Amino acid sequence: MIRAKRLDTGRAVEWAGETHGVWVDAHDPSADDLAALRAAFPLNRLALEDALERGHWSRAEQYPEHEFVTLRSFVHPDAPDDFTERVSVFVFRDAVLTISSAGTRALDAVWTLAGREAVNTPHEVTYELLDHTADTFFALADGLESRLDALEERVFLNARENPVAAVFTLKHLLAHARRLASDAREATALLARHAECTPQDLVRYRDAQDSFTRAAGRLDGLRDFLTSLLDLHLNLQSQRMNEVMRTLTAVSVVFLPLTFLAGVWGMNFQHMPELAWPYGYALAWASFLLIGGLLALYFKRRGWW
């Protein structure tokens, strides 16, 4: 599918090979669509191959025919998962061409803005695409931050739950997002370095680069928080284990003197006066209860169980 808009008015038009003052957007172009695009625009072969390649990472390049930048971001940044999407932008002197498989969130948002006062040149369209793509990483960070807060609460409230699997799943997602944001930042920096545009457009590109930098920094902070949360879980588990061992030790100490007395009275010597005493059995039980009770009371006051 191919659609087009005039940049000066923002009015959608039926594209018929016009290459001046228009924004042409192609979704999953067929062979005929590609032939029409190549006939209308002087597309560099290497750039077109990158735009059509599945799974290509974000990058930018200055070709003799045009500037080129491709951006990859997440499909569902509000509910983060591993699914990504990509848009490739061909920036000409008086036109802009975008190619994607099924559109992107940033592309759909900027399409409605085209033709307004600040979105009516190819470089302004490119900047808006960069800026809205950076916004998706901030939305991703917001969603991940909420999930991390919930995970932290689970670690504190449910002592028996093991959050390690959830932590490593989020760390994998954060590493993936961090790599995408960094690639987009490098692509924006390269575009700003080599693009033939006005000083105002260069300022816009630097602003978009800064947005990707801040998004990457925020994702780094969330990854560090996950590492701290994992360390906290391990420390809590160690503390709980120490408490269990302290309780077991206290119980063992209570029974240690009782075991000693039982061992003494269980020796098979012929002359042990208390064994023949009528109240010897009661004395043994009284000794057991008194010693055990005093030790238990002492440990309870010390908070050892």
Side-chain angles (χ1 to χ4, degrees):
M1 180 190 76
I2 298 179
R3 58 180 179 174
K5 263 190 175 185
R6 291 195 178 277
L7 293 178
D8 53 350
T9 65
R11 181 171 57 87
V13 295
E14 186 70 26
W15 183 68
E18 187 177 0
T19 60
H20 297 284
V22 295
W23 175 9
V24 179
D25 180 37
H27 291 182
D28 194 18
S30 63
D32 292 338
D33 292 335
L34 289 176
L37 291 173
R38 298 187 69 171
F41 294 100
L43 300 178
N44 185 275
R45 178 179 59 84
L46 297 178
L48 185 60
E49 289 178 357
D50 289 344
L52 298 178
E53 182 182 348
R54 298 289 180 180
H56 202 287
W57 296 99
S58 299
R59 63 177 294 268
E61 189 61 70
Q62 172 70 35
Y63 293 103
E65 300 87 352
H66 52 73
E67 287 100 20
F68 171 76
V69 60
T70 181
L71 301 169
R72 181 170 292 278
S73 58
F74 285 89
V75 178
H76 308 294
D78 300 325
D81 52 34
D82 286 331
F83 294 101
T84 59
E85 57 190 6
R86 184 168 60 98
V87 59
S88 298
V89 188
F90 299 79
V91 187
F92 299 92
R93 182 177 300 276
D94 195 30
V96 59
L97 167 66
T98 54
I99 297 178
S100 60
S101 59
T104 67
R105 288 170 59 99
L107 181 62
D108 295 338
V110 177
W111 184 259
T112 62
L113 301 177
R116 298 185 181 180
E117 181 179 356
V119 193
N120 52 19
T121 68
H123 285 288
E124 288 173 351
V125 170
T126 304
Y127 160 73
E128 290 294 337
L129 288 172
L130 292 168
D131 190 53
H132 280 73
T133 300
D135 288 342
T136 64
F137 287 100
F138 286 107
L140 174 79
D142 290 338
L144 288 176
E145 189 171 353
S146 299
R147 290 174 62 175
L148 290 179
D149 290 339
L151 184 59
E152 183 181 27
E153 185 176 354
R154 284 163 49 192
V155 168
F156 277 102
L157 295 182
N158 192 344
R160 295 184 178 274
E161 183 176 359
N162 187 356
V164 174
V167 167
F168 278 102
T169 298
L170 289 177
K171 287 195 72 171
H172 169 75
L173 185 58
L174 276 170
H176 186 38
R178 175 68 172 77
R179 185 166 60 250
L180 290 182
S182 297
D183 288 342
R185 178 188 61 196
E186 296 302 322
T188 304
L190 188 62
L191 182 65
R193 190 177 304 121
H194 299 291
E196 298 179 359
C197 56
T198 65
Q200 291 82 359
D201 292 325
L202 291 178
V203 172
R204 294 188 181 98
Y205 286 146
R206 285 196 293 268
D207 177 73
Q209 180 184 353
D210 180 66
S211 296
F212 284 117
T213 300
R214 288 186 290 110
R218 187 173 176 187
L219 293 171
D220 276 339
L222 292 177
R223 186 172 57 179
D224 293 339
F225 176 79
L226 267 179
T227 302
S228 300
L229 183 60
L230 184 59
D231 293 338
L232 174 63
H233 166 70
L234 296 177
N235 290 333
L236 288 176
Q237 291 296 101
S238 177
Q239 179 183 356
R240 295 184 186 111
M241 180 62 68
N242 290 337
E243 292 174 354
V244 171
M245 295 302 297
R246 184 178 60 188
T247 301
L248 293 177
T249 302
V251 172
S252 300
V253 171
V254 168
F255 282 93
L256 184 61
L258 307 185
T259 304
F260 171 75
L261 293 176
V264 169
W265 287 326
M267 292 186 294
N268 296 320
F269 288 106
Q270 187 173 2
H271 300 288
M272 294 184 69
E274 63 270 27
L275 296 182
W277 188 37
Y279 300 103
Y281 182 71
L283 174 64
W285 271 107
S287 302
F288 293 158
L289 294 176
L290 179 62
I291 295 174
L294 290 176
L295 287 174
L297 180 61
Y298 175 75
F299 293 147
K300 183 68 174 178
R301 287 190 173 183
R302 295 294 299 270
W304 291 358
W305 63 9

PDB file of all heavy atoms in Angstrom, residues 113-143:
ATOM      1  N   LEU A 113       0.275  14.735  11.803  1.00  0.00           N
ATOM      2  CA  LEU A 113       0.832  16.068  12.026  1.00  0.00           C
ATOM      3  C   LEU A 113       1.355  16.714  10.750  1.00  0.00           C
ATOM      4  O   LEU A 113       1.606  17.929  10.724  1.00  0.00           O
ATOM      5  CB  LEU A 113       1.986  15.994  13.033  1.00  0.00           C
ATOM      6  CG  LEU A 113       1.673  15.429  14.419  1.00  0.00           C
ATOM      7  CD1 LEU A 113       2.941  15.373  15.255  1.00  0.00           C
ATOM      8  CD2 LEU A 113       0.606  16.253  15.119  1.00  0.00           C
ATOM      9  N   ALA A 114       1.554  15.938   9.705  1.00  0.00           N
ATOM     10  CA  ALA A 114       2.172  16.451   8.482  1.00  0.00           C
ATOM     11  C   ALA A 114       1.341  17.581   7.895  1.00  0.00           C
ATOM     12  O   ALA A 114       0.107  17.514   7.834  1.00  0.00           O
ATOM     13  CB  ALA A 114       2.317  15.332   7.464  1.00  0.00           C
ATOM     14  N   GLY A 115       2.028  18.625   7.479  1.00  0.00           N
ATOM     15  CA  GLY A 115       1.365  19.772   6.887  1.00  0.00           C
ATOM     16  C   GLY A 115       1.150  20.910   7.844  1.00  0.00           C
ATOM     17  O   GLY A 115       0.789  22.014   7.434  1.00  0.00           O
ATOM     18  N   ARG A 116       1.360  20.669   9.121  1.00  0.00           N
ATOM     19  CA  ARG A 116       1.238  21.764  10.081  1.00  0.00           C
ATOM     20  C   ARG A 116       2.459  22.677  10.005  1.00  0.00           C
ATOM     21  O   ARG A 116       3.421  22.403   9.286  1.00  0.00           O
ATOM     22  CB  ARG A 116       1.061  21.204  11.487  1.00  0.00           C
ATOM     23  CG  ARG A 116      -0.201  20.365  11.649  1.00  0.00           C
ATOM     24  CD  ARG A 116      -0.401  19.937  13.096  1.00  0.00           C
ATOM     25  NE  ARG A 116      -1.600  19.113  13.219  1.00  0.00           N
ATOM     26  CZ  ARG A 116      -2.008  18.598  14.390  1.00  0.00           C
ATOM     27  NH1 ARG A 116      -1.325  18.829  15.492  1.00  0.00           N
ATOM     28  NH2 ARG A 116      -3.109  17.857  14.423  1.00  0.00           N
ATOM     29  N   GLU A 117       2.449  23.710  10.804  1.00  0.00           N
ATOM     30  CA  GLU A 117       3.479  24.745  10.693  1.00  0.00           C
ATOM     31  C   GLU A 117       4.881  24.204  10.879  1.00  0.00           C
ATOM     32  O   GLU A 117       5.815  24.616  10.204  1.00  0.00           O
ATOM     33  CB  GLU A 117       3.198  25.842  11.721  1.00  0.00           C
ATOM     34  CG  GLU A 117       4.196  26.982  11.667  1.00  0.00           C
ATOM     35  CD  GLU A 117       3.870  28.064  12.674  1.00  0.00           C
ATOM     36  OE1 GLU A 117       2.823  27.951  13.341  1.00  0.00           O
ATOM     37  OE2 GLU A 117       4.664  29.009  12.788  1.00  0.00           O
ATOM     38  N   ALA A 118       5.064  23.264  11.831  1.00  0.00           N
ATOM     39  CA  ALA A 118       6.404  22.770  12.141  1.00  0.00           C
ATOM     40  C   ALA A 118       6.686  21.408  11.517  1.00  0.00           C
ATOM     41  O   ALA A 118       7.708  20.800  11.806  1.00  0.00           O
ATOM     42  CB  ALA A 118       6.604  22.696  13.657  1.00  0.00           C
ATOM     43  N   VAL A 119       5.795  20.897  10.686  1.00  0.00           N
ATOM     44  CA  VAL A 119       6.003  19.582  10.063  1.00  0.00           C
ATOM     45  C   VAL A 119       5.643  19.687   8.586  1.00  0.00           C
ATOM     46  O   VAL A 119       4.696  19.066   8.106  1.00  0.00           O
ATOM     47  CB  VAL A 119       5.145  18.485  10.745  1.00  0.00           C
ATOM     48  CG1 VAL A 119       5.615  17.098  10.304  1.00  0.00           C
ATOM     49  CG2 VAL A 119       5.187  18.607  12.252  1.00  0.00           C
ATOM     50  N   ASN A 120       6.413  20.497   7.854  1.00  0.00           N
ATOM     51  CA  ASN A 120       6.092  20.658   6.436  1.00  0.00           C
ATOM     52  C   ASN A 120       7.330  20.640   5.543  1.00  0.00           C
ATOM     53  O   ASN A 120       7.288  21.133   4.418  1.00  0.00           O
ATOM     54  CB  ASN A 120       5.298  21.952   6.202  1.00  0.00           C
ATOM     55  CG  ASN A 120       5.993  23.160   6.824  1.00  0.00           C
ATOM     56  OD1 ASN A 120       7.188  23.105   7.117  1.00  0.00           O
ATOM     57  ND2 ASN A 120       5.254  24.232   7.027  1.00  0.00           N
ATOM     58  N   THR A 121       8.438  20.076   6.057  1.00  0.00           N
ATOM     59  CA  THR A 121       9.621  19.843   5.216  1.00  0.00           C
ATOM     60  C   THR A 121      10.101  18.416   5.475  1.00  0.00           C
ATOM     61  O   THR A 121       9.775  17.820   6.510  1.00  0.00           O
ATOM     62  CB  THR A 121      10.757  20.833   5.544  1.00  0.00           C
ATOM     63  OG1 THR A 121      11.257  20.561   6.861  1.00  0.00           O
ATOM     64  CG2 THR A 121      10.263  22.282   5.457  1.00  0.00           C
ATOM     65  N   PRO A 122      10.879  17.861   4.558  1.00  0.00           N
ATOM     66  CA  PRO A 122      11.370  16.492   4.768  1.00  0.00           C
ATOM     67  C   PRO A 122      12.144  16.317   6.069  1.00  0.00           C
ATOM     68  O   PRO A 122      11.964  15.314   6.769  1.00  0.00           O
ATOM     69  CB  PRO A 122      12.250  16.248   3.541  1.00  0.00           C
ATOM     70  CG  PRO A 122      11.675  17.127   2.484  1.00  0.00           C
ATOM     71  CD  PRO A 122      11.209  18.352   3.208  1.00  0.00           C
ATOM     72  N   HIS A 123      13.001  17.267   6.421  1.00  0.00           N
ATOM     73  CA  HIS A 123      13.781  17.123   7.649  1.00  0.00           C
ATOM     74  C   HIS A 123      12.910  17.295   8.885  1.00  0.00           C
ATOM     75  O   HIS A 123      13.181  16.675   9.926  1.00  0.00           O
ATOM     76  CB  HIS A 123      14.930  18.126   7.652  1.00  0.00           C
ATOM     77  CG  HIS A 123      16.047  17.751   6.738  1.00  0.00           C
ATOM     78  ND1 HIS A 123      16.914  16.706   7.011  1.00  0.00           N
ATOM     79  CD2 HIS A 123      16.422  18.263   5.533  1.00  0.00           C
ATOM     80  CE1 HIS A 123      17.794  16.603   6.027  1.00  0.00           C
ATOM     81  NE2 HIS A 123      17.513  17.526   5.115  1.00  0.00           N
ATOM     82  N   GLU A 124      11.875  18.128   8.793  1.00  0.00           N
ATOM     83  CA  GLU A 124      10.960  18.256   9.935  1.00  0.00           C
ATOM     84  C   GLU A 124      10.174  16.974  10.146  1.00  0.00           C
ATOM     85  O   GLU A 124       9.950  16.549  11.279  1.00  0.00           O
ATOM     86  CB  GLU A 124      10.023  19.447   9.712  1.00  0.00           C
ATOM     87  CG  GLU A 124      10.717  20.778   9.843  1.00  0.00           C
ATOM     88  CD  GLU A 124       9.830  21.941   9.463  1.00  0.00           C
ATOM     89  OE1 GLU A 124       8.717  21.698   8.925  1.00  0.00           O
ATOM     90  OE2 GLU A 124      10.234  23.097   9.692  1.00  0.00           O
ATOM     91  N   VAL A 125       9.760  16.330   9.062  1.00  0.00           N
ATOM     92  CA  VAL A 125       9.089  15.038   9.176  1.00  0.00           C
ATOM     93  C   VAL A 125      10.031  14.009   9.788  1.00  0.00           C
ATOM     94  O   VAL A 125       9.656  13.229  10.685  1.00  0.00           O
ATOM     95  CB  VAL A 125       8.580  14.567   7.797  1.00  0.00           C
ATOM     96  CG1 VAL A 125       8.100  13.114   7.867  1.00  0.00           C
ATOM     97  CG2 VAL A 125       7.450  15.462   7.307  1.00  0.00           C
ATOM     98  N   THR A 126      11.279  14.010   9.336  1.00  0.00           N
ATOM     99  CA  THR A 126      12.254  13.049   9.866  1.00  0.00           C
ATOM    100  C   THR A 126      12.488  13.282  11.347  1.00  0.00           C
ATOM    101  O   THR A 126      12.560  12.330  12.138  1.00  0.00           O
ATOM    102  CB  THR A 126      13.577  13.178   9.098  1.00  0.00           C
ATOM    103  OG1 THR A 126      13.340  13.003   7.699  1.00  0.00           O
ATOM    104  CG2 THR A 126      14.570  12.130   9.563  1.00  0.00           C
ATOM    105  N   TYR A 127      12.612  14.550  11.746  1.00  0.00           N
ATOM    106  CA  TYR A 127      12.801  14.842  13.173  1.00  0.00           C
ATOM    107  C   TYR A 127      11.613  14.348  14.000  1.00  0.00           C
ATOM    108  O   TYR A 127      11.800  13.761  15.075  1.00  0.00           O
ATOM    109  CB  TYR A 127      12.981  16.344  13.379  1.00  0.00           C
ATOM    110  CG  TYR A 127      12.711  16.768  14.799  1.00  0.00           C
ATOM    111  CD1 TYR A 127      13.607  16.464  15.823  1.00  0.00           C
ATOM    112  CD2 TYR A 127      11.527  17.440  15.132  1.00  0.00           C
ATOM    113  CE1 TYR A 127      13.343  16.822  17.134  1.00  0.00           C
ATOM    114  CE2 TYR A 127      11.262  17.805  16.434  1.00  0.00           C
ATOM    115  CZ  TYR A 127      12.169  17.494  17.430  1.00  0.00           C
ATOM    116  OH  TYR A 127      11.903  17.831  18.726  1.00  0.00           O
ATOM    117  N   GLU A 128      10.402  14.590  13.510  1.00  0.00           N
ATOM    118  CA  GLU A 128       9.219  14.146  14.266  1.00  0.00           C
ATOM    119  C   GLU A 128       9.193  12.625  14.396  1.00  0.00           C
ATOM    120  O   GLU A 128       8.807  12.087  15.441  1.00  0.00           O
ATOM    121  CB  GLU A 128       7.941  14.644  13.589  1.00  0.00           C
ATOM    122  CG  GLU A 128       7.723  16.148  13.675  1.00  0.00           C
ATOM    123  CD  GLU A 128       7.491  16.617  15.105  1.00  0.00           C
ATOM    124  OE1 GLU A 128       7.067  15.801  15.944  1.00  0.00           O
ATOM    125  OE2 GLU A 128       7.722  17.808  15.383  1.00  0.00           O
ATOM    126  N   LEU A 129       9.594  11.931  13.342  1.00  0.00           N
ATOM    127  CA  LEU A 129       9.660  10.467  13.420  1.00  0.00           C
ATOM    128  C   LEU A 129      10.678  10.031  14.468  1.00  0.00           C
ATOM    129  O   LEU A 129      10.431   9.108  15.261  1.00  0.00           O
ATOM    130  CB  LEU A 129      10.014   9.877  12.055  1.00  0.00           C
ATOM    131  CG  LEU A 129       8.923   9.937  10.984  1.00  0.00           C
ATOM    132  CD1 LEU A 129       9.480   9.496   9.635  1.00  0.00           C
ATOM    133  CD2 LEU A 129       7.739   9.046  11.372  1.00  0.00           C
ATOM    134  N   LEU A 130      11.831  10.706  14.489  1.00  0.00           N
ATOM    135  CA  LEU A 130      12.844  10.395  15.501  1.00  0.00           C
ATOM    136  C   LEU A 130      12.321  10.687  16.905  1.00  0.00           C
ATOM    137  O   LEU A 130      12.479   9.877  17.827  1.00  0.00           O
ATOM    138  CB  LEU A 130      14.109  11.206  15.235  1.00  0.00           C
ATOM    139  CG  LEU A 130      14.916  10.857  13.977  1.00  0.00           C
ATOM    140  CD1 LEU A 130      15.958  11.939  13.701  1.00  0.00           C
ATOM    141  CD2 LEU A 130      15.576   9.506  14.125  1.00  0.00           C
ATOM    142  N   ASP A 131      11.698  11.853  17.060  1.00  0.00           N
ATOM    143  CA  ASP A 131      11.237  12.268  18.385  1.00  0.00           C
ATOM    144  C   ASP A 131      10.129  11.351  18.899  1.00  0.00           C
ATOM    145  O   ASP A 131      10.132  10.965  20.076  1.00  0.00           O
ATOM    146  CB  ASP A 131      10.753  13.711  18.310  1.00  0.00           C
ATOM    147  CG  ASP A 131      10.479  14.302  19.676  1.00  0.00           C
ATOM    148  OD1 ASP A 131      11.378  14.252  20.537  1.00  0.00           O
ATOM    149  OD2 ASP A 131       9.354  14.795  19.902  1.00  0.00           O
ATOM    150  N   HIS A 132       9.182  10.998  18.046  1.00  0.00           N
ATOM    151  CA  HIS A 132       8.095  10.112  18.486  1.00  0.00           C
ATOM    152  C   HIS A 132       8.607   8.695  18.738  1.00  0.00           C
ATOM    153  O   HIS A 132       8.070   7.987  19.600  1.00  0.00           O
ATOM    154  CB  HIS A 132       6.975  10.093  17.446  1.00  0.00           C
ATOM    155  CG  HIS A 132       6.061  11.287  17.524  1.00  0.00           C
ATOM    156  ND1 HIS A 132       6.451  12.541  17.115  1.00  0.00           N
ATOM    157  CD2 HIS A 132       4.786  11.407  17.989  1.00  0.00           C
ATOM    158  CE1 HIS A 132       5.444  13.394  17.295  1.00  0.00           C
ATOM    159  NE2 HIS A 132       4.440  12.741  17.832  1.00  0.00           N
ATOM    160  N   THR A 133       9.629   8.276  18.002  1.00  0.00           N
ATOM    161  CA  THR A 133      10.232   6.972  18.300  1.00  0.00           C
ATOM    162  C   THR A 133      10.904   6.993  19.663  1.00  0.00           C
ATOM    163  O   THR A 133      10.808   6.031  20.436  1.00  0.00           O
ATOM    164  CB  THR A 133      11.252   6.595  17.214  1.00  0.00           C
ATOM    165  OG1 THR A 133      10.604   6.536  15.944  1.00  0.00           O
ATOM    166  CG2 THR A 133      11.877   5.236  17.511  1.00  0.00           C
ATOM    167  N   ALA A 134      11.585   8.104  19.995  1.00  0.00           N
ATOM    168  CA  ALA A 134      12.180   8.234  21.331  1.00  0.00           C
ATOM    169  C   ALA A 134      11.108   8.194  22.413  1.00  0.00           C
ATOM    170  O   ALA A 134      11.319   7.624  23.493  1.00  0.00           O
ATOM    171  CB  ALA A 134      12.983   9.529  21.418  1.00  0.00           C
ATOM    172  N   ASP A 135       9.937   8.774  22.121  1.00  0.00           N
ATOM    173  CA  ASP A 135       8.845   8.753  23.103  1.00  0.00           C
ATOM    174  C   ASP A 135       8.396   7.327  23.416  1.00  0.00           C
ATOM    175  O   ASP A 135       7.969   7.038  24.543  1.00  0.00           O
ATOM    176  CB  ASP A 135       7.660   9.567  22.587  1.00  0.00           C
ATOM    177  CG  ASP A 135       7.931  11.067  22.606  1.00  0.00           C
ATOM    178  OD1 ASP A 135       8.871  11.480  23.313  1.00  0.00           O
ATOM    179  OD2 ASP A 135       7.215  11.802  21.897  1.00  0.00           O
ATOM    180  N   THR A 136       8.484   6.433  22.431  1.00  0.00           N
ATOM    181  CA  THR A 136       8.077   5.048  22.696  1.00  0.00           C
ATOM    182  C   THR A 136       9.002   4.390  23.718  1.00  0.00           C
ATOM    183  O   THR A 136       8.564   3.543  24.506  1.00  0.00           O
ATOM    184  CB  THR A 136       8.071   4.221  21.399  1.00  0.00           C
ATOM    185  OG1 THR A 136       9.403   4.133  20.866  1.00  0.00           O
ATOM    186  CG2 THR A 136       7.154   4.838  20.363  1.00  0.00           C
ATOM    187  N   PHE A 137      10.277   4.779  23.730  1.00  0.00           N
ATOM    188  CA  PHE A 137      11.203   4.216  24.721  1.00  0.00           C
ATOM    189  C   PHE A 137      10.906   4.756  26.118  1.00  0.00           C
ATOM    190  O   PHE A 137      11.065   4.043  27.108  1.00  0.00           O
ATOM    191  CB  PHE A 137      12.646   4.507  24.318  1.00  0.00           C
ATOM    192  CG  PHE A 137      13.135   3.706  23.153  1.00  0.00           C
ATOM    193  CD1 PHE A 137      13.182   4.252  21.885  1.00  0.00           C
ATOM    194  CD2 PHE A 137      13.520   2.381  23.322  1.00  0.00           C
ATOM    195  CE1 PHE A 137      13.624   3.505  20.800  1.00  0.00           C
ATOM    196  CE2 PHE A 137      13.966   1.619  22.246  1.00  0.00           C
ATOM    197  CZ  PHE A 137      14.002   2.191  20.982  1.00  0.00           C
ATOM    198  N   PHE A 138      10.456   6.011  26.190  1.00  0.00           N
ATOM    199  CA  PHE A 138      10.051   6.536  27.497  1.00  0.00           C
ATOM    200  C   PHE A 138       8.782   5.835  27.988  1.00  0.00           C
ATOM    201  O   PHE A 138       8.645   5.551  29.179  1.00  0.00           O
ATOM    202  CB  PHE A 138       9.832   8.041  27.420  1.00  0.00           C
ATOM    203  CG  PHE A 138      11.096   8.834  27.332  1.00  0.00           C
ATOM    204  CD1 PHE A 138      11.475   9.451  26.155  1.00  0.00           C
ATOM    205  CD2 PHE A 138      11.931   8.961  28.438  1.00  0.00           C
ATOM    206  CE1 PHE A 138      12.648  10.183  26.071  1.00  0.00           C
ATOM    207  CE2 PHE A 138      13.113   9.687  28.368  1.00  0.00           C
ATOM    208  CZ  PHE A 138      13.476  10.295  27.178  1.00  0.00           C
ATOM    209  N   ALA A 139       7.852   5.571  27.067  1.00  0.00           N
ATOM    210  CA  ALA A 139       6.653   4.815  27.451  1.00  0.00           C
ATOM    211  C   ALA A 139       7.017   3.411  27.904  1.00  0.00           C
ATOM    212  O   ALA A 139       6.439   2.874  28.860  1.00  0.00           O
ATOM    213  CB  ALA A 139       5.678   4.764  26.268  1.00  0.00           C
ATOM    214  N   LEU A 140       7.992   2.810  27.214  1.00  0.00           N
ATOM    215  CA  LEU A 140       8.476   1.491  27.624  1.00  0.00           C
ATOM    216  C   LEU A 140       9.068   1.546  29.032  1.00  0.00           C
ATOM    217  O   LEU A 140       8.799   0.675  29.868  1.00  0.00           O
ATOM    218  CB  LEU A 140       9.528   1.009  26.623  1.00  0.00           C
ATOM    219  CG  LEU A 140      10.239  -0.304  26.972  1.00  0.00           C
ATOM    220  CD1 LEU A 140       9.355  -1.479  26.625  1.00  0.00           C
ATOM    221  CD2 LEU A 140      11.565  -0.410  26.252  1.00  0.00           C
ATOM    222  N   ALA A 141       9.876   2.582  29.306  1.00  0.00           N
ATOM    223  CA  ALA A 141      10.481   2.714  30.635  1.00  0.00           C
ATOM    224  C   ALA A 141       9.413   2.890  31.705  1.00  0.00           C
ATOM    225  O   ALA A 141       9.528   2.336  32.806  1.00  0.00           O
ATOM    226  CB  ALA A 141      11.456   3.891  30.642  1.00  0.00           C
ATOM    227  N   ASP A 142       8.352   3.640  31.402  1.00  0.00           N
ATOM    228  CA  ASP A 142       7.265   3.823  32.370  1.00  0.00           C
ATOM    229  C   ASP A 142       6.584   2.489  32.682  1.00  0.00           C
ATOM    230  O   ASP A 142       6.310   2.166  33.841  1.00  0.00           O
ATOM    231  CB  ASP A 142       6.230   4.814  31.824  1.00  0.00           C
ATOM    232  CG  ASP A 142       6.771   6.237  31.784  1.00  0.00           C
ATOM    233  OD1 ASP A 142       7.725   6.533  32.531  1.00  0.00           O
ATOM    234  OD2 ASP A 142       6.244   7.049  30.991  1.00  0.00           O
ATOM    235  N   GLY A 143       6.315   1.698  31.629  1.00  0.00           N
ATOM    236  CA  GLY A 143       5.689   0.398  31.847  1.00  0.00           C
ATOM    237  C   GLY A 143       6.573  -0.549  32.630  1.00  0.00           C
ATOM    238  O   GLY A 143       6.102  -1.261  33.539  1.00  0.00           O
TER     239      GLY A 143
END
